[in-house]
Amino acid sequence: MTFQIHPLPKAYFEDLFSLSDADLKTRNILKVTADSQPGFPCRVSLQDAKIGEELFLLSYQHLGGSTPFAATHAIYVRKDATQAHVDIDEVPAVLARRVLSVRGFNKQKMMVDADVVNGDDLAQSLNKLFENTEIEFVHIHNAKQGCFAAMATRN
């Protein structure tokens, strides 16, 4: 079994970079500066921000549509993020070093299975989840804060 981890697309956030502080505030988006590393995981670059880097902290709907599992949570996006390109079966270091919650969903966006894993066991966990042919995609969350980290699909 193989899997593909997908970062969020930088294009989705491009308009944020030109907004004034007042405009960001009306959208409930904060500018923050990383003061530790790790600690500020960017969902576009799939890297932890370096100390002193500017990020946006914003609410992101990672599961929409007609499902009781529709969900929104806070995420970080680095202002100068480069779009991550993750290889098949690759687990980026930003995920490998964290405790993660993995949640497998079917076509109807209903949760089929879930687990909590150490990031260095993520590949094994994704392969196990995708053995269930009902699972279409897996959402990966940082277990401690509950934040959406990335999505994975069967490859």
Side-chain angles (χ1 to χ4, degrees):
M1 188 69 53
T2 63
F3 60 85
Q4 178 72 56
I5 293 175
H6 305 275
L8 296 180
K10 183 174 182 175
Y12 183 83
F13 305 99
E14 288 286 336
D15 69 321
L16 300 181
F17 306 133
S18 63
L19 295 178
S20 69
D21 289 345
D23 289 336
L24 290 170
K25 186 175 182 176
T26 64
R27 295 184 187 194
N28 295 316
I29 300 170
L30 298 176
K31 281 185 185 177
V32 297
T33 302
D35 60 6
S36 64
Q37 187 184 12
F40 294 82
C42 175
R43 302 327 192 272
V44 170
S45 64
L46 294 182
Q47 297 175 342
D48 280 296
K50 295 177 180 141
I51 294 172
E53 273 192 274
E54 189 174 56
L55 303 96
F56 295 107
L57 177 60
L58 65 138
S59 185
Y60 177 77
Q61 184 176 33
H62 54 86
L63 187 59
S66 299
T67 175
F69 293 99
T72 302
H73 207 289
I75 63 166
Y76 290 111
V77 174
R78 291 168 49 214
K79 185 174 181 183
D80 297 320
T82 301
Q83 182 68 56
H85 297 284
V86 182
D87 290 333
I88 294 170
D89 294 333
E90 177 187 358
V91 174
V94 72
L95 299 176
R97 72 171 129 258
R98 288 179 163 82
V99 177
L100 303 168
S101 169
V102 290
R103 305 165 188 176
F105 293 89
N106 64 16
K107 286 181 185 176
Q108 293 75 36
K109 299 181 180 178
M110 296 298 292
M111 192 180 307
V112 175
D113 198 358
D115 202 359
V116 175
V117 300
N118 288 319
D120 55 1
D121 295 326
L122 180 58
Q124 179 182 357
S125 178
L126 290 173
N127 284 324
K128 182 180 176 195
L129 286 166
F130 285 128
E131 286 175 3
N132 181 338
T133 57
E134 188 180 356
I135 293 177
E136 290 291 313
F137 61 94
V138 174
H139 276 189
I140 304 164
H141 294 254
N142 294 319
K144 289 184 180 182
Q145 291 84 359
C147 310
F148 175 78
M151 182 177 76
T153 56
R154 184 183 290 106
N155 193 37

